[in-house]
Amino acid sequence: MLISFEGIDGSGKSTQLARTVAWLKSLGYDVLLTREPGGTAAGEQIRAQLLDPRSHLSPRAEFLLYSASRAQLVDEVLLPHLRKPRAIALVDRFADSSTVYQGGGRELGIEEVEAVNMFVTGNLSPDLTLYLDVDYATSVSRRERAGSEPDRLERSPREFFESVREAYWELCERHAARVRRIDASGDEDTVFAQVQAAIAERLPVKP
Ligand SMILES: Nc1ncnc2c1ncn2[C@@H]1O[C@H](COP(=O)(O)OP(=O)(O)OP(=O)(O)O)[C@@H](O)[C@H]1O
Ligand SMILES: [Mg+2]
């Protein structure tokens, strides 16, 4: 089973993923946690380039760098893991991030990006995608509290995040069977309860 976590920066993906890993391990699953871009040696080099505020990338070049990191992650990490018994792979962002950021936010076109995504992943699609929905103000205040320097994408203007958020909403409608919207504005426990409920419904082997 492959589960991806999506949402704008500061929505709580990494926080909820850490709790999800511990929970699923306690149920006896073989859990792999990885992230995008990155997750492999080649992918981490690509990640550094993508997040570096000094990088000047055209929208198509940016999309193809994400795609290269993703293809490597699928071949080197995800497919081998998913062949194991009781395996669950959790990814911090996956192809939907390109759909909404490069297709929506950067205006390359949702359908164009989704078509390339299929080639890049070899048609590997998450069984379940949890979209952690927060508004821009919540995202900014959480990031400020975390106190880290904003990366290249986090420096984007507010309008960019608003268009990404709208693209996430559209994603929930287009892929209603796969993508579940989680209200991520509440405290960590409240959000985690929703995450657990959504995953428990789909567990291949019931806890
Ligand atoms: N439900 C919550 N309520 C309040 N603060 C939260 C909540 N969830 C996470 N945080 C805090 O908000 C900050 C951002 O959370 P986190 O790093 O999990 O988000 P993220 O989606 O992984 O962000 P990024 O895309 O930048 O990696 C962290 O400092 C985290 O401790
Ligand atoms: Mg994170």
Side-chain angles (χ1 to χ4, degrees):
M1 193 185 193
L2 174 63
I3 305 174
S4 61
F5 281 56
E6 293 284 347
I8 62 174
D9 306 275
S11 55
K13 299 179 296 298
S14 302
T15 304
Q16 296 298 326
L17 272 160
R19 299 177 72 148
T20 303
V21 169
W23 171 54
L24 291 174
K25 280 188 175 166
S26 77
L27 296 177
Y29 290 101
D30 184 350
V31 184
L32 172 94
L33 170 64
T34 187
R35 70 171 180 182
E36 269 214 7
T40 63
E44 290 295 330
Q45 286 184 320
I46 296 169
R47 179 186 181 91
Q49 165 119 51
L50 277 166
L51 301 188
D52 187 342
R54 293 166 305 180
S55 293
H56 295 288
L57 295 166
S58 81
R60 277 177 298 138
E62 179 186 70
F63 173 40
L64 291 171
L65 281 174
Y66 278 109
S67 296
S69 170
R70 181 168 304 134
Q72 189 70 30
L73 187 72
V74 168
D75 294 344
E76 188 180 324
V77 174
L78 294 179
L79 291 179
H81 182 74
L82 291 170
R83 281 195 283 270
K84 298 188 206 164
R86 284 183 78 82
I88 297 184
L90 302 171
V91 272
D92 195 333
R93 298 190 178 283
F94 198 57
D96 296 319
S97 279
S98 278
T99 303
V100 300
Y101 281 82
Q102 282 81 51
R106 301 275 191 239
E107 298 173 350
L108 289 182
I110 302 283
E111 271 130 50
E112 288 78 355
V113 168
E114 286 200 326
V116 177
N117 285 345
M118 300 287 274
F119 169 76
V120 167
T121 60
N123 294 326
L124 178 69
S125 176
D127 300 285
L128 175 65
T129 296
L130 299 181
Y131 162 53
L132 303 187
D133 190 32
V134 291
D135 60 23
Y136 178 72
T138 305
S139 140
V140 169
S141 80
R142 286 186 189 173
R143 277 190 276 143
E144 277 173 0
R145 229 174 318 130
S148 53
E149 273 292 298
D151 65 33
R152 186 176 63 88
L153 290 143
E154 287 167 353
R155 289 167 197 233
S156 305
R158 179 195 179 107
E159 299 74 53
F160 177 72
F161 286 100
E162 299 290 3
S163 66
V164 166
R165 189 171 182 223
E166 278 174 28
Y168 269 127
W169 290 339
E170 283 168 29
L171 188 83
C172 294
E173 285 174 19
R174 272 203 324 287
H175 302 286
R178 171 173 67 84
V179 185
R180 181 68 69 87
R181 177 187 167 273
I182 304 270
D183 176 358
S185 62
D187 63 32
E188 284 182 29
D189 290 344
T190 309
V191 178
F192 187 55
Q194 297 178 71
V195 168
Q196 282 183 302
I199 294 176
E201 257 178 45
R202 309 285 185 101
L203 284 181
V205 186
K206 290 292 168 200

